[in-house]
Amino acid sequence: MTVTGARSYRLMGVLNVTPDSFSDGGAFLDASAAIVHARELVAQGAEILDIGGESTRPGAEPVSVEDELRRVLPVLEGVAAASDWSTTVQISIDTSKAAVARAAIAAGASIVNDVTALRGDPAMVEVLADSGADCCLMHMLGEPRTMQESPRYVDVVDEVKAFLEQRLDFAVRAGVREERVMLDPGIGFGKTIAHNLELLDRLDELVALGRPLVVGTSRKGFIGRIVADVAGENEPVAVARRLPGTIATNVLALERGASVFRVHDVAAVRGALAVTAATLGRRWTVRGMTQTS
Ligand code: HH2
């Protein structure tokens, strides 16, 4: 049975080539294991692979350009060489360093996912303008080492929206084509649980900026805390118990208009989004027949 929904969206599979990422650190540090995992993510339905060599978890230590390249380049090259599926899958490099982005683009990446929204490295905007690569500009309050130390906003949605609008304007003025830019509210980056929930609930206000919205809630700490709370546990639940919350937040984000979903568990989220999209679109197809009622 084929079921299709009217909404268009893409799944971005997370591939962290790091020793210290919060949910999968160390699992894919070996390039051949990472390439096998990339293939699995694509088989599960990922249309974008987001490859990162530096953790952005709260308290993470910075990584040098050399170390980041040593981690990601063999994986990027391996993925780009897999010609059977690299034509349909876009490779994204999760970096805020211009030198890493430049080398990644040369190796086959066509999206730069910059969690600093071009504030981390002054040369990044030029790399984007020159290469014509797509990019994702994300909101973060502060920087990863300290961002979770009592973040404050008067109105989190208004402030994130104004920031994203300003960064989009900056990029376009510097020669990045607007149609190349995606925006991301940066769930968990300098935000309390209440901030994350309000951003998700009012995501439609960010969709109104007119650019595709990327959302990354996958396995994040606020989900672990909410699930622990209802279970009467003191510590955030383990990452393995955060999938239901990951699905719930992505379903909600699709309903609010987000179009790119950055997740570790691609197959599970894909199924949930397909049902959501079919429900919202009130259109489904069975064995080639389109049913509208
Ligand atoms: N979240 C993480 C990393 N990069 N990029 C975008 N655009 N949006 C996000 O929400 C986002 C991101 C953090 O998740 P993860 O990669 O799993 O962990 P770590 O940073 O520890 O490697």
Side-chain angles (χ1 to χ4, degrees):
M1 185 171 89
T2 329
V3 181
T4 54
R7 298 205 171 200
S8 75
Y9 55 89
R10 290 193 294 168
L11 285 147
M12 176 189 253
V14 180
L15 188 53
N16 287 320
V17 194
T18 61
D20 57 345
S21 286
F22 78 93
S23 81
D24 54 0
F28 310 113
L29 204 47
D30 171 63
S32 49
I35 294 164
V36 167
H37 189 57
R39 196 173 279 278
E40 282 163 6
L41 291 170
V42 172
Q44 289 178 29
E47 289 177 88
I48 303 171
L49 285 174
D50 191 34
I51 301 176
E54 178 176 27
S55 172
T56 54
R57 76 184 157 76
E61 286 303 326
V63 174
S64 69
V65 169
E66 294 70 32
D67 283 345
E68 203 174 321
L69 282 174
R70 207 170 298 128
R71 290 175 186 176
V72 296
L73 270 188
V75 180
L76 270 158
E77 284 161 0
V79 168
S83 57
D84 52 331
W85 43 272
S86 64
T87 45
T88 51
V89 175
Q90 246 192 311
I91 303 174
S92 164
I93 177 74
D94 187 349
T95 190
S96 48
K97 299 185 185 77
V100 174
R102 198 177 291 115
I105 291 167
S110 58
I111 302 178
V112 176
N113 175 21
D114 182 358
V115 298
T116 73
L118 312 179
R119 297 171 303 157
D121 185 335
M124 185 65 105
V125 72
E126 209 179 299
V127 172
L128 289 175
D130 290 351
S131 66
D134 294 343
C135 66
C136 174
L137 306 181
M138 194 195 81
H139 176 271
M140 167 166 41
L141 188 67
E143 40 112 15
R145 224 163 24 82
T146 53
M147 65 190 179
Q148 289 306 100
E149 290 169 10
S150 35
R152 275 177 222 284
Y153 302 85
V154 174
D155 182 313
V156 66
V157 180
D158 287 353
E159 285 168 55
V160 167
K161 185 174 179 183
F163 171 90
L164 293 176
E165 203 163 17
Q166 190 268 328
R167 297 318 292 164
L168 173 63
D169 189 55
F170 168 80
V172 170
R173 279 172 194 270
V176 178
R177 295 196 11 222
E178 183 166 347
E179 61 269 29
R180 296 269 166 229
V181 183
M182 301 180 279
L183 302 172
D184 184 330
I187 299 296
F189 286 84
K191 281 130 192 144
T192 62
I193 296 178
H195 294 142
N196 291 326
L197 298 178
E198 185 162 2
L199 278 165
L200 286 168
D201 191 27
R202 293 171 56 196
L203 218 50
D204 51 328
E205 294 176 43
L206 304 180
V207 172
L209 288 169
R211 299 307 313 142
L213 209 66
V214 180
V215 172
T217 62
S218 189
R219 301 179 177 175
K220 284 189 177 167
F222 75 104
I223 294 173
R225 285 193 182 276
I226 294 172
V227 176
D229 200 42
V230 292
E233 298 171 32
N234 291 328
E235 295 302 317
V237 302
V239 161
R241 290 170 61 197
R242 298 182 189 176
L243 181 56
T246 296
I247 291 173
T249 47
N250 281 289
V251 163
L252 195 112
L254 179 67
E255 191 276 334
R256 301 289 199 266
S259 42
V260 177
F261 300 86
R262 183 182 184 278
V263 294
H264 303 83
D265 304 283
V266 171
V269 176
R270 183 196 197 193
L273 293 187
V275 176
T276 309
T279 307
L280 293 170
R282 294 190 176 81
R283 187 164 69 83
W284 51 287
T285 311
V286 180
R287 292 191 200 96
M289 281 177 61
T290 301
Q291 314 269 314
T292 49
S293 57

